Amino acid sequence: ITAFSIVSFFFQAEDGIRDFCLSRGLGDVYKRQGQGCLPSILYIRRAEKFVLFIKRHEEETKLEIERKFLVKRENLPENLEQYPNKAIEQGYLCTEPVVRIRKSNDNYYLTYKSKGLLAREEYNLPLTKEAYEHLKPKADGIVISKVRYVIPEKDGLSIELDVFKAPYEGLLLAEVEFPTEEAAHAYQPPKWLSLIHISEPTRQAEISYAVFC
């Protein structure tokens, strides 16, 4: 059983999961209700089954503990190109819960993330290039492109700095992962990360929910 066959079974739809109100398949994935729309019970149940399947067959499972920061361009470290970096492209099949596809250089992944503030479960499955390209048109909303720089930090930590491309060009988002929640709470960031701390993505933000996940 491959990650591609898993996704095809649980998330296949006639026109993908691209429009909350107009998508077909999965027994009418999203139903109209007035000016808004709500996910169907069938879709929710399939998403739950998908998560349970991943938990039984995961290639990599971990508790993700991280803090995120927005950064001003004038506060960026000098000579970013000296740090290891990779080109990332990602899209979302679902945001509640988060089901994400990602291309990282020449590697491809399907990721599920549970709800949470500082800490949440994360499950990763490898994808083939063909599977990724098949799922990409089904992404809900904009497919995001960015370059991630990995900058050494004190206490053996790393700062992962994302420099976004259009349509979010100018957005700079940094995150630091920790081994424990205690370490996350005790962390004192360098001054260039002290602008805004993000503890949880929000739909009220001016920036799309997806860029925070």
Side-chain angles (χ1 to χ4, degrees):
I1 298 177
T2 66
F4 175 65
S5 63
I6 298 169
V7 177
S8 295
F9 177 76
F10 286 107
F11 287 96
Q12 64 182 345
E14 294 175 20
D15 62 346
I17 309 171
R18 288 169 293 192
D19 187 297
F20 279 175
C21 291
L22 300 180
S23 285
R24 302 183 303 278
L26 295 183
D28 229 351
V29 176
Y30 290 98
K31 295 181 177 178
R32 293 182 180 275
Q33 188 175 64
Q35 297 299 316
C37 51
L38 294 173
S40 68
I41 296 300
L42 176 60
Y43 178 76
I44 294 172
R45 288 176 178 172
R46 290 212 175 199
E48 289 172 347
K49 289 179 181 179
F50 172 70
V51 171
L52 290 174
F53 192 98
I54 290 180
K55 288 183 177 181
R56 292 197 300 267
H57 298 83
E58 70 271 12
E59 293 287 337
E60 178 186 347
T61 304
K62 68 174 182 178
L63 182 65
E64 180 185 61
I65 304 170
E66 65 181 10
R67 291 176 61 182
K68 294 179 181 286
F69 304 84
L70 287 174
V71 182
K72 285 185 176 180
R73 183 166 295 277
E74 56 266 30
N75 293 337
L76 281 175
E78 295 182 357
N79 302 318
L80 275 181
E81 296 303 326
Q82 69 179 302
Y83 301 110
N85 60 82
K86 51 191 172 183
I88 293 176
E89 180 183 80
Q90 63 191 45
Y92 294 81
L93 303 179
C94 183
T95 55
E96 294 181 6
V98 171
V99 180
R100 182 190 70 200
I101 55 171
R102 170 180 281 181
K103 174 184 177 183
S104 179
N105 286 342
D106 294 325
N107 297 306
Y108 304 86
Y109 303 96
L110 172 75
T111 299
Y112 160 81
K113 293 190 179 188
S114 67
K115 291 182 178 181
L117 296 173
L118 184 68
R120 54 183 175 174
E121 291 180 326
E122 180 180 81
Y123 302 91
N124 291 304
L125 286 170
L127 287 176
T128 64
K129 178 180 179 181
E130 292 74 19
Y132 175 84
E133 294 297 339
H134 178 82
L135 291 168
K136 183 177 171 181
K138 297 172 170 46
D140 181 23
I142 296 171
V143 174
I144 295 166
S145 296
K146 59 188 179 182
V147 177
R148 172 166 291 178
Y149 297 89
V150 181
I151 302 172
E153 173 62 323
K154 59 182 178 290
D155 300 325
L157 301 173
S158 296
I159 298 172
E160 295 184 337
L161 172 67
D162 290 343
V163 179
F164 286 77
K165 298 183 178 181
Y168 295 115
E169 188 171 3
L171 173 64
L172 303 169
L173 180 64
E175 62 183 48
V176 182
E177 290 198 21
F178 303 90
T180 65
E181 292 189 42
E182 290 76 15
H185 287 299
Y187 177 65
Q188 296 297 319
K191 291 183 178 180
W192 64 278
L193 289 185
S194 61
L195 176 60
I196 301 174
H197 170 238
I198 304 165
S199 59
E200 175 71 357
T202 171
R203 291 187 183 277
Q204 280 68 51
E206 294 180 359
I207 305 163
S208 168
Y209 175 95
V211 304
F212 294 105
C213 300

